[in-house]
Amino acid sequence: MDVKLINPFLSAAVNVLKVMAFTDARAGKPYLKNDRKASGDVTGITGFSGDVEGSLSITFSADCIKGIISNMFGDHVEEINQEVEDAVGEITNMICGDARRQLSENGGYKLTATIPTVISGLRHTVKHISDGPFLAIPFETDAGSFAVEVCFKQ
Amino acid sequence: MDVKLINPFLSAAVNVLKVMAFTDARAGKPYLKNDRKASGDVTGITGFSGDVEGSLSITFSADCIKGIISNMFGDHVEEINQEVEDAVGEITNMICGDARRQLSENGGYKLTATIPTVISGLRHTVKHISDGPFLAIPFETDAGSFAVEVCFKQ
């Protein structure tokens, strides 16, 4: 997989969480396998198309997203409510937007994004349905873990 | 909301399940509210962009999807495994593809789709993050219920 396509998503996740939610996200070792699925409690999903087509998901543990949104709102968040879901949608949108900006500036790729969708539910799994390149990056924060997955169409 | 945009998704869901899985899906009363979320056990999600941008989700109860995939495979499906998830991705892709074909032929809309994502997990909820028009259609089959939600960017 072309690292030029992946790095923007990785750095966008770090940037957006830093700027919007004052949260340091530490990237772990990426994995490329399609049989391993992200698993968590809240997921933001968005697609993109244009010069490259694909999908992006960001899957948080409940503790992690409560910590991130508490930082973002400046107020302790105790449950995954509608406000938290809207904020996850916004974070997903901004990560995809920042990655698209970098891909346009550095690689000349023109991409448009679709509407984000947010899934809530204890211990759900997320699977991207494509034979194309797939990359997942696990992240750690002080509040818990999340994973960013990006998948491209062949 | 322009009914011309919605009907293709409704008829695509009915057509695809009929042709691929020999399943009759009976549409219930559509609802337009953004505060009501689809809730189920397996969800296929895809986005589309082009002349109109939006997102599509199809959320099944476990009984419903096991019934549908049993019909499709011609073999009794007992659990939501990787094969079932792949089949839900394929169904989602085909529903979006058939709706895009109708929108192109009848309305002149040109749309491209993104990669589908499949969520598994008991009683998760699905929320489309947009201020734009939103429509949800509940369906019944002999095996159980599912809901199709379509959301457009303003």
Side-chain angles (χ1 to χ4, degrees):
Chain A
M1 174 181 279
D2 189 347
V3 75
K4 272 196 311 208
L5 286 176
I6 286 301
N7 279 341
F9 290 94
L10 196 156
S11 69
V14 172
N15 292 344
V16 166
L17 290 177
K18 184 77 185 168
V19 170
M20 283 188 72
F22 320 106
T23 297
D24 285 318
R26 301 173 289 280
K29 192 173 162 45
Y31 51 94
L32 273 162
K33 297 157 45 182
N34 231 332
D35 54 338
R36 188 163 152 193
K37 294 179 284 192
S39 169
D41 308 310
V42 181
T43 295
I45 295 172
T46 193
F48 48 87
S49 61
D51 292 340
V52 187
E53 284 167 37
S55 53
L56 162 75
S57 65
I58 175 164
T59 300
F60 302 91
S61 69
D63 283 345
C64 179
I65 195 60
K66 284 192 276 189
I68 288 171
I69 304 296
S70 294
N71 283 353
M72 194 170 153
F73 290 173
D75 195 8
H76 186 62
V77 164
E78 303 215 350
E79 54 162 3
I80 314 291
N81 55 21
Q82 197 138 319
E83 279 183 329
V84 171
E85 291 172 347
D86 286 341
V88 170
E90 186 58 26
I91 287 171
T92 307
N93 222 2
M94 291 189 71
I95 290 174
C96 197
D98 191 47
R100 282 161 45 218
R101 180 189 57 74
Q102 292 181 55
L103 283 165
S104 170
E105 286 177 9
N106 304 331
Y109 292 100
K110 296 283 175 243
L111 303 180
T112 51
T114 63
I115 290 174
T117 311
V118 175
I119 311 294
S120 303
L122 281 183
R123 291 182 294 284
H124 61 259
T125 61
V126 179
K127 186 170 194 219
H128 297 259
I129 308 288
S130 171
D131 295 330
F134 171 93
L135 194 105
I137 312 156
F139 285 91
E140 278 298 326
T141 73
D142 289 345
S145 63
F146 69 94
V148 172
E149 298 192 340
V150 187
C151 190
F152 297 96
K153 207 172 267 188
Q154 279 290 29
Chain B
M1 173 182 280
D2 190 345
V3 75
K4 273 195 311 205
L5 286 176
I6 285 302
N7 280 341
F9 290 93
L10 195 155
S11 68
V14 172
N15 293 343
V16 167
L17 290 176
K18 184 77 184 166
V19 170
M20 284 187 72
F22 320 105
T23 297
D24 285 318
R26 300 173 291 278
K29 194 174 159 46
Y31 50 94
L32 274 162
K33 296 156 48 181
N34 231 330
D35 54 337
R36 187 163 152 194
K37 294 180 284 193
S39 168
D41 308 309
V42 180
T43 295
I45 296 172
T46 192
F48 48 88
S49 61
D51 291 340
V52 186
E53 284 168 37
S55 53
L56 162 75
S57 66
I58 174 163
T59 300
F60 301 91
S61 69
D63 283 344
C64 179
I65 195 59
K66 283 192 275 188
I68 288 170
I69 305 297
S70 294
N71 283 353
M72 194 170 152
F73 290 175
D75 195 8
H76 187 63
V77 164
E78 303 213 351
E79 54 162 1
I80 313 292
N81 56 22
Q82 198 138 317
E83 280 183 327
V84 172
E85 291 172 348
D86 287 341
V88 170
E90 186 57 27
I91 287 171
T92 308
N93 222 1
M94 290 189 73
I95 291 173
C96 197
D98 190 48
R100 282 160 46 218
R101 180 189 57 73
Q102 293 181 55
L103 285 165
S104 169
E105 286 177 8
N106 304 332
Y109 292 101
K110 297 281 175 243
L111 304 179
T112 51
T114 63
I115 289 174
T117 312
V118 175
I119 312 294
S120 303
L122 282 183
R123 291 181 293 282
H124 61 259
T125 61
V126 179
K127 186 170 195 221
H128 297 259
I129 309 289
S130 171
D131 296 329
F134 171 93
L135 195 105
I137 312 157
F139 286 89
E140 277 299 325
T141 73
D142 288 346
S145 62
F146 69 92
V148 172
E149 298 193 339
V150 187
C151 190
F152 296 95
K153 207 171 266 185
Q154 279 289 30

Short mmCIF file of all heavy atoms in Angstrom, two decimals, chain A residues 96-138:
data_model
loop_
_atom_site.label_atom_id
_atom_site.label_comp_id
_atom_site.label_asym_id
_atom_site.label_seq_id
_atom_site.Cartn_x
_atom_site.Cartn_y
_atom_site.Cartn_z
N CYS A 96 -11.33 13.01 8.29
CA CYS A 96 -11.39 12.73 6.85
C CYS A 96 -11.08 14.01 6.07
O CYS A 96 -10.35 13.98 5.07
CB CYS A 96 -12.76 12.17 6.47
SG CYS A 96 -12.77 11.35 4.87
N GLY A 97 -11.59 15.14 6.54
CA GLY A 97 -11.35 16.42 5.86
C GLY A 97 -9.89 16.81 5.88
O GLY A 97 -9.33 17.25 4.87
N ASP A 98 -9.23 16.64 7.03
CA ASP A 98 -7.81 16.99 7.14
C ASP A 98 -6.96 16.06 6.27
O ASP A 98 -6.02 16.50 5.60
CB ASP A 98 -7.37 16.92 8.61
CG ASP A 98 -5.98 17.53 8.82
OD1 ASP A 98 -5.74 18.64 8.30
OD2 ASP A 98 -5.14 16.88 9.47
N ALA A 99 -7.32 14.76 6.24
CA ALA A 99 -6.58 13.81 5.39
C ALA A 99 -6.77 14.17 3.91
O ALA A 99 -5.81 14.13 3.12
CB ALA A 99 -7.07 12.39 5.66
N ARG A 100 -7.99 14.53 3.54
CA ARG A 100 -8.25 14.90 2.14
C ARG A 100 -7.47 16.15 1.76
O ARG A 100 -6.93 16.24 0.65
CB ARG A 100 -9.75 15.14 1.93
CG ARG A 100 -10.54 13.83 1.80
CD ARG A 100 -12.03 14.03 2.06
NE ARG A 100 -12.54 15.18 1.38
CZ ARG A 100 -13.45 16.02 1.87
NH1 ARG A 100 -13.96 15.82 3.08
NH2 ARG A 100 -13.87 17.04 1.19
N ARG A 101 -7.39 17.11 2.69
CA ARG A 101 -6.62 18.34 2.42
C ARG A 101 -5.16 17.99 2.17
O ARG A 101 -4.55 18.44 1.19
CB ARG A 101 -6.75 19.29 3.62
CG ARG A 101 -5.99 20.61 3.45
CD ARG A 101 -5.97 21.41 4.75
NE ARG A 101 -5.38 20.67 5.89
CZ ARG A 101 -4.08 20.42 6.04
NH1 ARG A 101 -3.21 20.83 5.13
NH2 ARG A 101 -3.65 19.75 7.10
N GLN A 102 -4.59 17.13 3.04
CA GLN A 102 -3.18 16.74 2.86
C GLN A 102 -2.98 15.97 1.55
O GLN A 102 -1.99 16.18 0.84
CB GLN A 102 -2.74 15.83 4.01
CG GLN A 102 -2.66 16.53 5.37
CD GLN A 102 -2.19 15.55 6.44
OE1 GLN A 102 -1.14 14.93 6.32
NE2 GLN A 102 -2.98 15.41 7.49
N LEU A 103 -3.90 15.09 1.23
CA LEU A 103 -3.78 14.30 -0.01
C LEU A 103 -3.87 15.20 -1.23
O LEU A 103 -3.24 14.93 -2.26
CB LEU A 103 -4.88 13.22 -0.06
CG LEU A 103 -4.63 12.01 0.83
CD1 LEU A 103 -5.90 11.18 1.00
CD2 LEU A 103 -3.51 11.14 0.27
N SER A 104 -4.65 16.25 -1.12
CA SER A 104 -4.77 17.19 -2.23
C SER A 104 -3.50 18.03 -2.35
O SER A 104 -2.91 18.15 -3.43
CB SER A 104 -5.98 18.09 -1.99
OG SER A 104 -5.99 19.15 -2.91
N GLU A 105 -3.01 18.56 -1.23
CA GLU A 105 -1.85 19.46 -1.26
C GLU A 105 -0.57 18.72 -1.64
O GLU A 105 0.25 19.22 -2.38
CB GLU A 105 -1.66 20.13 0.11
CG GLU A 105 -2.69 21.23 0.37
CD GLU A 105 -2.56 21.84 1.76
OE1 GLU A 105 -1.57 21.53 2.47
OE2 GLU A 105 -3.45 22.60 2.12
N ASN A 106 -0.42 17.50 -1.10
CA ASN A 106 0.86 16.80 -1.30
C ASN A 106 0.84 15.79 -2.44
O ASN A 106 1.90 15.46 -2.97
CB ASN A 106 1.26 16.08 -0.01
CG ASN A 106 1.34 17.05 1.16
OD1 ASN A 106 1.61 18.23 0.97
ND2 ASN A 106 1.07 16.56 2.36
N GLY A 107 -0.33 15.30 -2.77
CA GLY A 107 -0.37 14.24 -3.79
C GLY A 107 -1.22 14.58 -5.00
O GLY A 107 -1.27 13.83 -5.96
N GLY A 108 -1.92 15.72 -4.92
CA GLY A 108 -2.77 16.12 -6.04
C GLY A 108 -4.05 15.30 -6.14
O GLY A 108 -4.76 15.41 -7.13
N TYR A 109 -4.35 14.51 -5.10
CA TYR A 109 -5.60 13.73 -5.12
C TYR A 109 -6.79 14.62 -4.81
O TYR A 109 -6.75 15.39 -3.86
CB TYR A 109 -5.57 12.62 -4.06
CG TYR A 109 -4.57 11.53 -4.33
CD1 TYR A 109 -3.34 11.51 -3.69
CD2 TYR A 109 -4.86 10.49 -5.22
CE1 TYR A 109 -2.41 10.50 -3.92
CE2 TYR A 109 -3.94 9.49 -5.46
CZ TYR A 109 -2.73 9.49 -4.81
OH TYR A 109 -1.83 8.49 -5.04
N LYS A 110 -7.83 14.48 -5.60
CA LYS A 110 -9.08 15.20 -5.31
C LYS A 110 -10.11 14.20 -4.80
O LYS A 110 -10.46 13.24 -5.49
CB LYS A 110 -9.63 15.88 -6.57
CG LYS A 110 -8.72 16.96 -7.14
CD LYS A 110 -8.80 18.26 -6.35
CE LYS A 110 -7.81 19.29 -6.85
NZ LYS A 110 -6.79 19.67 -5.85
N LEU A 111 -10.56 14.42 -3.57
CA LEU A 111 -11.52 13.49 -2.96
C LEU A 111 -12.71 14.26 -2.40
O LEU A 111 -12.55 15.37 -1.89
CB LEU A 111 -10.86 12.73 -1.80
CG LEU A 111 -9.60 11.92 -2.10
CD1 LEU A 111 -9.10 11.25 -0.83
CD2 LEU A 111 -9.86 10.89 -3.18
N THR A 112 -13.89 13.68 -2.49
CA THR A 112 -15.04 14.22 -1.77
C THR A 112 -15.47 13.18 -0.74
O THR A 112 -15.31 11.98 -0.95
CB THR A 112 -16.24 14.50 -2.70
OG1 THR A 112 -16.50 13.33 -3.48
CG2 THR A 112 -15.97 15.66 -3.63
N ALA A 113 -16.01 13.68 0.37
CA ALA A 113 -16.42 12.76 1.45
C ALA A 113 -17.93 12.62 1.46
O ALA A 113 -18.65 13.46 0.91
CB ALA A 113 -15.95 13.30 2.79
N THR A 114 -18.39 11.55 2.08
CA THR A 114 -19.83 11.37 2.24
C THR A 114 -20.21 11.72 3.69
O THR A 114 -19.36 12.12 4.48
CB THR A 114 -20.21 9.91 1.93
OG1 THR A 114 -19.58 9.05 2.86
CG2 THR A 114 -19.76 9.53 0.53
N ILE A 115 -21.48 11.58 3.99
CA ILE A 115 -21.99 11.92 5.33
C ILE A 115 -21.50 10.90 6.35
O ILE A 115 -21.58 9.69 6.11
CB ILE A 115 -23.53 11.92 5.28
CG1 ILE A 115 -24.02 13.12 4.46
CG2 ILE A 115 -24.13 11.91 6.66
CD1 ILE A 115 -25.52 13.12 4.24
N PRO A 116 -20.99 11.33 7.50
CA PRO A 116 -20.57 10.35 8.50
C PRO A 116 -21.76 9.66 9.18
O PRO A 116 -22.84 10.24 9.29
CB PRO A 116 -19.79 11.17 9.54
CG PRO A 116 -19.91 12.58 9.16
CD PRO A 116 -20.74 12.72 7.92
N THR A 117 -21.52 8.46 9.62
CA THR A 117 -22.51 7.67 10.37
C THR A 117 -21.85 7.29 11.68
O THR A 117 -20.65 6.99 11.70
CB THR A 117 -22.86 6.39 9.58
OG1 THR A 117 -23.16 6.74 8.25
CG2 THR A 117 -24.05 5.69 10.17
N VAL A 118 -22.60 7.30 12.76
CA VAL A 118 -22.04 6.94 14.07
C VAL A 118 -22.80 5.74 14.63
O VAL A 118 -24.02 5.73 14.68
CB VAL A 118 -22.08 8.13 15.06
CG1 VAL A 118 -21.61 7.70 16.44
CG2 VAL A 118 -21.22 9.27 14.53
N ILE A 119 -22.03 4.73 15.03
CA ILE A 119 -22.59 3.51 15.60
C ILE A 119 -22.30 3.50 17.10
O ILE A 119 -21.17 3.75 17.51
CB ILE A 119 -21.90 2.26 15.01
CG1 ILE A 119 -21.83 2.34 13.49
CG2 ILE A 119 -22.55 0.98 15.50
CD1 ILE A 119 -23.13 2.28 12.78
N SER A 120 -23.31 3.19 17.89
CA SER A 120 -23.11 2.99 19.33
C SER A 120 -23.62 1.62 19.73
O SER A 120 -24.72 1.24 19.31
CB SER A 120 -23.90 4.02 20.15
OG SER A 120 -23.55 5.32 19.79
N GLY A 121 -22.86 0.95 20.55
CA GLY A 121 -23.31 -0.36 21.03
C GLY A 121 -22.11 -1.10 21.59
O GLY A 121 -21.06 -1.14 20.95
N LEU A 122 -22.28 -1.68 22.75
CA LEU A 122 -21.15 -2.32 23.43
C LEU A 122 -20.54 -3.43 22.57
O LEU A 122 -21.25 -4.30 22.08
CB LEU A 122 -21.61 -2.92 24.76
CG LEU A 122 -21.75 -1.92 25.91
CD1 LEU A 122 -22.13 -2.65 27.19
CD2 LEU A 122 -20.48 -1.11 26.12
N ARG A 123 -19.24 -3.36 22.41
CA ARG A 123 -18.45 -4.42 21.76
C ARG A 123 -18.98 -4.81 20.38
O ARG A 123 -19.18 -5.99 20.10
CB ARG A 123 -18.38 -5.65 22.67
CG ARG A 123 -17.54 -5.42 23.92
CD ARG A 123 -17.45 -6.66 24.77
NE ARG A 123 -18.71 -7.05 25.35
CZ ARG A 123 -19.28 -6.45 26.39
NH1 ARG A 123 -18.67 -5.45 26.99
NH2 ARG A 123 -20.45 -6.86 26.84
N HIS A 124 -19.21 -3.81 19.53
CA HIS A 124 -19.51 -4.15 18.14
C HIS A 124 -18.20 -4.27 17.35
O HIS A 124 -17.15 -3.81 17.80
CB HIS A 124 -20.46 -3.12 17.50
CG HIS A 124 -19.91 -1.72 17.46
ND1 HIS A 124 -20.27 -0.75 18.35
CD2 HIS A 124 -19.03 -1.14 16.62
CE1 HIS A 124 -19.65 0.37 18.06
NE2 HIS A 124 -18.88 0.16 17.01
N THR A 125 -18.29 -4.92 16.19
CA THR A 125 -17.13 -5.03 15.31
C THR A 125 -17.42 -4.30 14.00
O THR A 125 -18.58 -4.10 13.63
CB THR A 125 -16.78 -6.49 14.99
OG1 THR A 125 -17.89 -7.09 14.32
CG2 THR A 125 -16.43 -7.28 16.24
N VAL A 126 -16.34 -3.90 13.33
CA VAL A 126 -16.43 -3.11 12.11
C VAL A 126 -15.63 -3.82 11.03
O VAL A 126 -14.46 -4.13 11.23
CB VAL A 126 -15.83 -1.70 12.33
CG1 VAL A 126 -15.91 -0.87 11.05
CG2 VAL A 126 -16.52 -1.00 13.48
N LYS A 127 -16.25 -4.07 9.90
CA LYS A 127 -15.56 -4.75 8.81
C LYS A 127 -15.74 -3.96 7.51
O LYS A 127 -16.86 -3.66 7.13
CB LYS A 127 -16.12 -6.17 8.65
CG LYS A 127 -15.35 -6.97 7.65
CD LYS A 127 -15.72 -8.44 7.64
CE LYS A 127 -14.64 -9.17 6.86
NZ LYS A 127 -15.16 -10.22 6.03
N HIS A 128 -14.62 -3.66 6.85
CA HIS A 128 -14.68 -2.97 5.56
C HIS A 128 -14.70 -4.03 4.46
O HIS A 128 -13.86 -4.93 4.45
CB HIS A 128 -13.46 -2.06 5.38
CG HIS A 128 -13.40 -0.97 6.41
ND1 HIS A 128 -13.79 0.32 6.13
CD2 HIS A 128 -13.05 -0.97 7.71
CE1 HIS A 128 -13.66 1.06 7.22
NE2 HIS A 128 -13.22 0.29 8.21
N ILE A 129 -15.68 -3.92 3.57
CA ILE A 129 -15.88 -4.97 2.57
C ILE A 129 -15.21 -4.54 1.26
O ILE A 129 -15.79 -3.82 0.44
CB ILE A 129 -17.39 -5.20 2.33
CG1 ILE A 129 -18.12 -5.44 3.65
CG2 ILE A 129 -17.59 -6.36 1.35
CD1 ILE A 129 -17.85 -6.75 4.31
N SER A 130 -13.97 -4.98 1.08
CA SER A 130 -13.24 -4.64 -0.14
C SER A 130 -12.08 -5.58 -0.30
O SER A 130 -11.50 -6.06 0.68
CB SER A 130 -12.74 -3.20 -0.05
OG SER A 130 -11.87 -2.92 -1.11
N ASP A 131 -11.73 -5.87 -1.55
CA ASP A 131 -10.53 -6.64 -1.81
C ASP A 131 -9.31 -5.72 -1.89
O ASP A 131 -8.20 -6.19 -2.06
CB ASP A 131 -10.66 -7.40 -3.14
CG ASP A 131 -11.77 -8.43 -3.06
OD1 ASP A 131 -12.01 -8.94 -1.96
OD2 ASP A 131 -12.39 -8.69 -4.11
N GLY A 132 -9.54 -4.43 -1.80
CA GLY A 132 -8.45 -3.46 -1.98
C GLY A 132 -7.58 -3.33 -0.74
O GLY A 132 -7.84 -3.96 0.29
N PRO A 133 -6.55 -2.49 -0.83
CA PRO A 133 -5.65 -2.28 0.30
C PRO A 133 -6.39 -1.78 1.53
O PRO A 133 -7.35 -1.01 1.42
CB PRO A 133 -4.68 -1.22 -0.21
CG PRO A 133 -4.81 -1.22 -1.69
CD PRO A 133 -6.20 -1.67 -2.00
N PHE A 134 -5.92 -2.21 2.68
CA PHE A 134 -6.60 -1.97 3.94
C PHE A 134 -5.52 -1.70 4.99
O PHE A 134 -4.53 -2.42 5.04
CB PHE A 134 -7.37 -3.24 4.29
CG PHE A 134 -7.96 -3.27 5.66
CD1 PHE A 134 -9.25 -2.85 5.87
CD2 PHE A 134 -7.21 -3.73 6.73
CE1 PHE A 134 -9.80 -2.89 7.14
CE2 PHE A 134 -7.76 -3.76 8.00
CZ PHE A 134 -9.05 -3.34 8.20
N LEU A 135 -5.69 -0.67 5.77
CA LEU A 135 -4.74 -0.45 6.84
C LEU A 135 -5.44 -0.05 8.12
O LEU A 135 -6.39 0.74 8.10
CB LEU A 135 -3.72 0.63 6.48
CG LEU A 135 -2.54 0.59 7.46
CD1 LEU A 135 -1.32 -0.02 6.80
CD2 LEU A 135 -2.23 1.95 8.01
N ALA A 136 -5.00 -0.61 9.22
CA ALA A 136 -5.57 -0.27 10.53
C ALA A 136 -4.45 0.19 11.44
O ALA A 136 -3.36 -0.38 11.44
CB ALA A 136 -6.26 -1.49 11.13
N ILE A 137 -4.72 1.25 12.18
CA ILE A 137 -3.74 1.80 13.11
C ILE A 137 -4.36 1.85 14.50
O ILE A 137 -5.35 2.57 14.70
CB ILE A 137 -3.31 3.23 12.70
CG1 ILE A 137 -2.98 3.29 11.21
CG2 ILE A 137 -2.13 3.70 13.56
CD1 ILE A 137 -3.11 4.68 10.63
N PRO A 138 -3.81 1.09 15.46
CA PRO A 138 -4.31 1.20 16.83
C PRO A 138 -3.69 2.43 17.51
O PRO A 138 -2.53 2.76 17.25
CB PRO A 138 -3.81 -0.09 17.48
CG PRO A 138 -2.64 -0.52 16.68
CD PRO A 138 -2.75 0.09 15.32
#
